[in-house]
Amino acid sequence: MSSPNVKSAGGLSPWKWLLLPGMVAVILLSYLWAKDLPVFPSPKTARIFFWHVPMAILSMAWFFIAAFYSGRLLFGKDPFDDHRASKAAEVGLLLTVLATVTGAVFSKMQWAGGLNSPWYEGYWQWDPKQTAIAIVIVIFMAYFGLRMSIDNPTTRARLSAVYAILGAIAVPFLYYTLPHLPVFGTTIHPTDVIKQGMDSAYRSTFWLANLVFFGFALWAYQLQLRLARLAERRTELPAGAAEPRFEAIRKPATEQQ
Amino acid sequence: MSSPAQTLPASRAATQGSWWSEVSAVLVKDVRSELRTRAALATILLFALVVLLIVALTVITEGFGLTRELLPADEMRQILQQPGAKAIDVTRATTGTSVTRASILSGLYWVILFFSAMAGLPRAFVKEEEMRTAPVLRLTARPSAVFAGKLLFNAALSLVVTAVLLLPFLFLFRPIVADWPSFLLHLPLGAVGMAGAATILGAMVARAGGKTYLMLPLSFPILLPVLTFAINGTAAAISGNEGNQLLPLVSYVVLMVTVSSFLFEMVWSE
């Protein structure tokens, strides 16, 4: 099967060229245009907001993309959906880790007195959202652990797809049910910032950051899929072509005759 | 031309009754083979009893802040002014069990049960793959009937474990339970919930070459809601506070079992 989706290394799509100026614009706007928001305990150091929140939103998005392709693999007919799901989960794991790390820095600067506290303190607050994202990381790791321990590609595709769907059902429960339990307490995340706390400059920069990071994540995802397609094409034998392995066996036989 | 019924083996024709007969056949077969070897039950119970003993011997669950608290300041002053007063004299046993102690006991109980269940529950499927009986089961019963049968077996196993574990737990830790009906509802429902959410994971572990060490990381995120509801509910029952978690527990488990029953065929069939 020829794969028209494998493009030559010719040139980048135009929107990928926009990512570099987009990234520069996000950095410049977040420091120069967006004024300090008094909602944050330490408004000057709150600029990591433009990195942390898009990462958290996108990690959930890629997680559900992985679950969607897992469902399509199970109930549809395209075996390549296995790669679509697992590569989405890889991008999702990367974004989740980034969201956790940026969130830890954010937490130290905002909730723990910033640089006035000892260097080892303040990164982890047992906030419900921190707890939930730690659990999501474990789901991803269990998913890849399951994939690594199965050799047969068909079984691996099926089982990991089932697991991704089970995880996708557990995640909304973790996000919305566990925070209501008494042991978790209330979140200290400023949940109203995204809804109404931002002025127009903050909001525009925030959505631009969302767009740019989505672009980068999509690009990484496309590259991963292209790698997977090339790896599959390498194992497939081209139709009608001589098979090199068998020729190597046949040759000495003809020489003997 | 032979009709399909004639080409079927005798066993298939005999069990080709209703769905319920297949379910009960799988369940009865599993119970019988379990009674013969007691492999899964022994795994879970020995694990649970050993860990229960270790925890009971080493973790302090009684004492200051757990079952004793300080007297008011003026009473303390009066006692300490008397000659020969000891530090223990300024404390008194709390009337019930403190909330801290209730959470510790409930957490210990469910962590013990979780780890022992994860060691034993995948046996129901791993056994079939190890004994090479899985293909026969695939031929003779519908996937949904296999799932239901194994689910019922795992639930029964969890109930037995809960019943056996309850007495040593009460004996060793002496929880002063404020709300017995709620306590006695949370324990079996949580155990059955664990079995319900973990049954499909056991099938996945069996298909992944019987690597039982996979069960623990796989089950953690899926079972975490069950565990959280069970731990909080049991703690509330012991301390007598509000915080009944039966409804969210049951609804999550019903959701998980429903989805698992839809997905089971993908895991089970070749």
Side-chain angles (χ1 to χ4, degrees):
Chain A
M1 194 176 85
S2 71
S3 21
N5 290 322
V6 182
K7 281 182 230 147
S8 65
L12 292 178
S13 321
W15 64 269
K16 284 172 188 158
W17 286 108
L18 287 175
L19 288 178
L20 181 65
M23 193 72 224
V24 173
V26 168
I27 295 173
L28 289 180
L29 290 179
S30 65
Y31 283 99
L32 301 178
W33 190 37
K35 299 275 179 299
D36 293 349
L37 262 197
V39 188
F40 295 108
S42 163
K44 272 212 181 320
T45 59
R47 295 303 194 286
I48 204 171
F49 172 82
F50 296 118
W51 279 263
H52 167 64
V53 181
M55 299 292 177
I57 295 175
L58 285 178
S59 66
M60 290 316 294
W62 287 101
F63 183 80
F64 283 106
I65 289 173
F68 168 76
Y69 282 121
S70 298
R72 219 175 73 164
L73 173 81
L74 290 180
F75 298 103
K77 288 188 178 110
D78 189 0
F80 195 74
D81 279 339
D82 178 44
H83 292 288
R84 292 200 182 95
S86 67
K87 300 303 175 193
E90 277 178 25
V91 177
L93 179 60
L94 176 70
L95 287 167
T96 319
V97 171
L98 284 177
T100 312
V101 172
T102 52
V105 176
F106 202 11
S107 142
K108 181 183 174 60
M109 297 312 288
Q110 296 296 323
W111 301 331
L115 298 176
N116 298 322
S117 60
W119 63 270
Y120 50 84
E121 257 184 23
Y123 299 104
W124 199 258
Q125 308 281 351
W126 287 113
D127 185 83
K129 293 201 178 190
Q130 280 182 328
T131 315
I133 206 159
I135 295 164
V136 173
I137 290 182
V138 175
I139 297 186
F140 275 131
M141 285 179 169
Y143 175 83
F144 288 115
L146 181 67
R147 288 186 72 84
M148 272 184 261
S149 57
I150 307 172
D151 296 327
N152 182 351
T154 322
T155 315
R156 178 173 61 216
R158 268 192 186 178
L159 293 196
S160 55
V162 169
Y163 190 69
I165 292 174
L166 289 177
I169 291 162
V171 160
F173 257 84
L174 295 168
Y175 256 76
Y176 296 109
T177 317
L178 294 191
H180 295 298
L181 289 174
V183 70
F184 277 78
T186 52
T187 181
I188 37 180
H189 270 81
T191 42
D192 49 344
V193 168
I194 295 176
K195 283 175 193 144
Q196 64 256 14
M198 294 187 286
D199 55 23
S200 62
Y202 232 78
R203 195 178 301 118
S204 320
T205 316
F206 173 66
W207 288 115
L208 180 65
N210 264 309
L211 203 65
V212 169
F213 291 133
F214 179 71
F216 273 113
L218 192 64
W219 192 359
Y221 183 53
Q222 285 186 346
L223 284 176
Q224 286 278 34
L225 282 185
R226 206 169 123 192
L227 273 177
R229 279 203 189 89
L230 289 171
E232 284 219 331
R233 200 160 67 166
R234 195 178 55 191
T235 54
E236 274 174 22
L237 289 169
E243 296 169 17
R245 277 187 302 150
F246 294 121
E247 237 172 22
I249 298 166
R250 226 176 281 136
K251 220 169 195 176
T254 48
E255 276 170 4
Q256 277 173 6
Q257 282 171 355
Chain B
M1 295 260 303
S2 60
S3 72
Q6 283 170 332
T7 59
L8 283 170
S11 61
R12 180 76 177 86
T15 56
Q16 204 191 20
S18 66
W19 183 78
W20 279 109
S21 66
E22 288 183 9
V23 173
S24 65
V26 172
L27 176 64
V28 166
K29 170 199 84 72
D30 268 358
V31 171
R32 252 186 219 151
S33 81
E34 181 60 37
L35 288 179
R36 228 170 266 156
T37 62
R38 296 188 191 84
L41 197 61
T43 310
I44 301 185
L45 272 182
L46 287 178
F47 196 110
L49 287 175
V50 167
V51 181
L52 194 71
L53 263 179
I54 290 175
V55 167
L57 292 174
T58 53
V59 179
I60 297 164
T61 55
E62 287 176 37
F64 185 71
L66 298 169
T67 53
R68 298 194 78 81
E69 64 182 19
L70 280 177
L71 293 172
D74 45 342
E75 281 183 48
M76 252 199 276
R77 205 170 298 122
Q78 279 179 359
I79 292 172
L80 286 173
Q81 278 163 359
Q82 292 164 1
K86 291 180 194 143
I88 191 82
D89 295 340
V90 299
T91 65
R92 68 155 173 239
T94 50
T95 47
T97 305
S98 70
V99 177
T100 315
R101 183 164 191 258
S103 319
I104 291 176
L105 289 187
S106 153
L108 288 176
Y109 177 84
W110 283 108
V111 167
I112 292 168
L113 200 68
F114 171 71
F115 277 91
S116 30
M118 289 313 107
L121 287 185
R123 292 299 312 163
F125 283 103
V126 173
K127 182 182 65 190
E128 306 281 358
E129 300 283 348
E130 273 177 2
M131 309 283 284
R132 311 250 180 254
T133 47
V136 184
L137 201 56
R138 279 190 194 101
L139 284 175
T140 47
R142 275 164 274 197
S144 55
V146 174
F147 178 71
K150 297 283 184 187
L151 181 74
L152 290 177
F153 173 71
N154 277 347
L157 194 64
S158 307
L159 284 179
V160 172
V161 170
T162 306
V164 177
L165 206 58
L166 183 60
L167 271 182
F169 177 75
L170 292 177
F171 183 71
L172 290 171
F173 290 97
R174 278 173 295 166
I176 304 160
V177 180
D179 187 355
W180 276 102
S182 168
F183 182 74
L184 290 180
L185 269 178
H186 274 96
L187 297 193
L189 275 180
V192 169
M194 259 202 245
T199 298
I200 191 170
L201 299 177
M204 289 167 75
V205 166
R207 292 285 278 152
K211 302 185 176 78
T212 36
Y213 60 81
L214 267 178
M215 191 64 181
L216 211 56
L218 286 185
S219 61
F220 164 72
I222 309 293
L223 284 190
L224 194 69
V226 179
L227 268 181
T228 321
F229 294 139
I231 289 175
N232 281 287
T234 312
I238 294 177
S239 66
N241 286 349
E242 290 288 310
N244 187 326
Q245 302 286 351
L246 291 172
L247 191 65
L249 178 66
V250 169
S251 54
Y252 179 75
V253 172
V254 167
L255 178 70
M256 266 300 164
V257 168
T258 314
V259 176
S260 308
S261 65
F262 280 116
L263 294 176
F264 179 73
E265 199 176 342
M266 309 290 176
V267 177
W268 176 246
S269 304
E270 291 286 351

